[in-house]
Amino acid sequence: MPSFDDINLFVQTVRHQGISAAAKANGLQRSKVSRRLQELEKQLGYQLLIRTTRNIELTERGRWLYEQADAPLNKLNEAINLMKTERMTPQGKMRLAIPTALGMTEIFSNVIEDYVNRYPDVRLEVEHQKQAIDLRRSDTDLQILPSYIGTLHDDYVQQHLLYLNFCMVASTSYLSQFGTPKQISDLASHQLLASRYSRSLLPADVEYHLYSDDLQLLIRLAKSGKGVALLPRLLVDKYLQDASLLEILAQQSFTKLKLTLIYPSQPYLPEKTRAMVQILRQSFDKGSA
């Protein structure tokens, strides 16, 4: 089967109206171009060019092949050049999948704002995902996963991003009515507001009163005195400061939730992806300091 390179060389020869001109444009020797064109004709079983001393002419089959190949090769070369450009400079579409909890934090909002300001030519898509996704099939550039969710493919790059600290909180009104738990076992007599994140950090036999992955809902319920909740400190710091929530079981050491940055392994990481990885790591390194 004829190679793409030889067909492209044939099209270049027609465009430059001669073998010598095509050889010069492609940095090749004239004899090599001539030999490859002869090989192409041999593989196709048709003469494509009539060679004269000064120029070339197309045979009927040569003209038909040129008409079929010229426009598609233009589009293909444009696509290849675009891919090379996107690899070198941040542009095109960038898709990022994150846990819902992370998307609610100020530090992540700052990451997105910083990225958009620096790279206005990138079309950014941020999706909330609860499970690991097939990054290649879904055309997703990056995913941030909590430690209790495994990746779908072992060849994905996995980089530690952050340990997320959690704290148990409740409102003054709730604690006045139900008392303050002194240890984890006391939670059995309290209304626990839980998410999949906090469930992974608590003993398996601890039951919950309400379960939701909407962490803002859990915060609202905790503030309104509906129960106690184990939540990321990043989300509740401001409520602890204004005393609308109080920290309980402060002496209890909850296992930190590890967040991992996942992206497909590839020889050349696009610059748009590399830039996002760099901003994420810099921002979360500062946030955890």
Side-chain angles (χ1 to χ4, degrees), residues 139-196:
D139 196 25
T140 301
D141 298 281
L142 294 169
Q143 183 171 23
I144 298 174
L145 283 176
S147 54
Y148 57 84
I149 298 178
T151 61
L152 294 184
H153 299 285
D154 292 337
D155 65 334
Y156 285 170
V157 177
Q158 303 180 43
Q159 292 185 2
H160 165 65
L161 182 62
L162 176 72
Y163 282 108
L164 202 58
N165 290 308
F166 277 68
C167 59
M168 187 74 73
V169 296
S171 68
T172 302
S173 61
Y174 176 86
L175 297 176
S176 298
Q177 182 178 357
F178 296 97
T180 302
K182 303 298 183 183
Q183 51 192 5
I184 290 291
S185 59
D186 293 343
L187 293 176
S189 59
H190 284 268
Q191 299 182 47
L192 179 62
L193 310 174
S195 68
R196 72 175 59 227

Side-chain angles (χ1 to χ4, degrees), residues 34-51:
S34 180
R35 187 165 57 250
R36 284 174 57 180
L37 291 174
Q38 290 174 1
E39 182 62 25
L40 177 62
E41 290 176 322
K42 181 179 178 180
Q43 290 188 23
L44 291 174
Y46 292 100
Q47 183 179 359
L48 303 175
L49 300 169
I50 301 173
R51 300 158 177 81

Side-chain angles (χ1 to χ4, degrees), residues 96-157:
L96 174 63
I98 63 168
T100 303
L102 183 61
M104 297 175 181
T105 63
E106 182 178 357
I107 189 172
F108 183 75
S109 298
N110 291 339
V111 166
I112 298 303
E113 183 177 359
D114 188 12
Y115 188 89
V116 169
N117 288 337
R118 289 196 203 183
Y119 310 111
D121 293 332
V122 177
R123 304 189 310 277
L124 190 59
E125 295 183 6
V126 181
E127 300 178 352
H128 290 181
Q129 290 285 349
K130 298 178 181 179
Q131 302 295 337
I133 59 177
D134 190 326
L135 301 180
R136 296 189 182 97
R137 290 184 180 275
S138 62
D139 196 25
T140 301
D141 298 281
L142 294 169
Q143 183 171 23
I144 298 174
L145 283 176
S147 54
Y148 57 84
I149 298 178
T151 61
L152 294 184
H153 299 285
D154 292 337
D155 65 334
Y156 285 170
V157 177

